[in-house]
């Protein structure tokens, strides 16, 4: 079911979310100082491409907080807004609610990506 959900996700808007993370990562990697931020964008692009079966955990510190504040004003608002709007559009129908929930999960990560880890959920 997870594989089917991820395939439908890519077709129904996941590609747009993934592409926006990749573009943000490329822009951050233009400068030497922004390369760690760009690598974080590339890591989080994986959850945008196939979010079903993945869980996001937040654990941050002082450095993560500072990076999240900078991120929020430079790239976070745009990425969160894109994912939030797509999530609202998918939640209009009952069939789209699982996709909308995934877009909301990615929008939350878009606001505070530093200090978060993505891990695969294993079901018994």
């Amino acid at each position: 079911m997870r594989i089917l959900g991820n395939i439908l996700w890519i077709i129904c808007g996941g590609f747009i979310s993934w592409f926006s993370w990749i573009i943000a990562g490329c822009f951050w990697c233009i400068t030497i100082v922004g390369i760690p931020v760009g690598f974080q964008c590339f890591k989080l692009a994986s959850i945008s491409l196939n979010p079903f079966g993945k869980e996001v955990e937040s654990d941050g510190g002082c450095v993560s907080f500072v990076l999240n504040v900078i991120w929020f004003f430079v790239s976070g608002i745009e990425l969160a807004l894109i994912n939030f709007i797509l999530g609202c559009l998918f939640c209009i129908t009952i069939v789209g609610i699982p996709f909308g929930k995934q877009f909301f999960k990615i929008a939350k990560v878009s606001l505070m990506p530093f200090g978060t880890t993505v891990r695969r959920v294993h079901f018994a």
Side-chain angles (χ1 to χ4, degrees):
M1 194 67 179
R2 179 179 9 190
I3 295 170
L4 179 64
N6 285 328
I7 291 171
L8 290 173
W9 169 262
I10 293 170
I11 295 169
C12 295
F15 183 78
I16 295 169
S17 179
W18 172 80
F19 190 68
S20 62
W21 276 100
I22 295 296
I23 293 296
C26 289
F27 281 132
W28 276 100
C29 284
I30 290 173
T31 64
I32 293 174
V33 177
I35 290 176
V37 179
F39 283 149
Q40 184 72 9
C41 289
F42 296 140
K43 284 195 292 187
L44 293 174
S46 70
I47 192 172
S48 291
L49 195 58
N50 53 0
F52 291 99
K54 292 186 179 177
E55 188 176 273
V56 177
E57 294 178 350
S58 297
D59 55 336
C62 184
V63 175
S64 296
F65 176 75
V66 172
L67 285 173
N68 281 329
V69 169
I70 295 169
W71 168 264
F72 179 80
F73 290 111
V74 177
S75 298
I77 295 172
E78 295 87 5
L79 286 172
L81 192 62
I82 289 169
N83 288 305
F84 181 75
I85 289 171
L86 287 172
C88 289
L89 288 174
F90 275 98
C91 283
I92 290 173
T93 64
I94 293 174
V95 175
I97 289 176
F99 296 110
K101 287 174 61 175
Q102 297 303 320
F103 274 116
F104 292 142
K105 177 172 65 173
I106 295 169
K108 179 183 170 190
V109 172
S110 298
L111 288 177
M112 299 176 294
F114 298 100
T116 61
T117 57
V118 178
R119 66 179 186 92
R120 182 170 291 280
V121 177
H122 296 285
F123 297 106

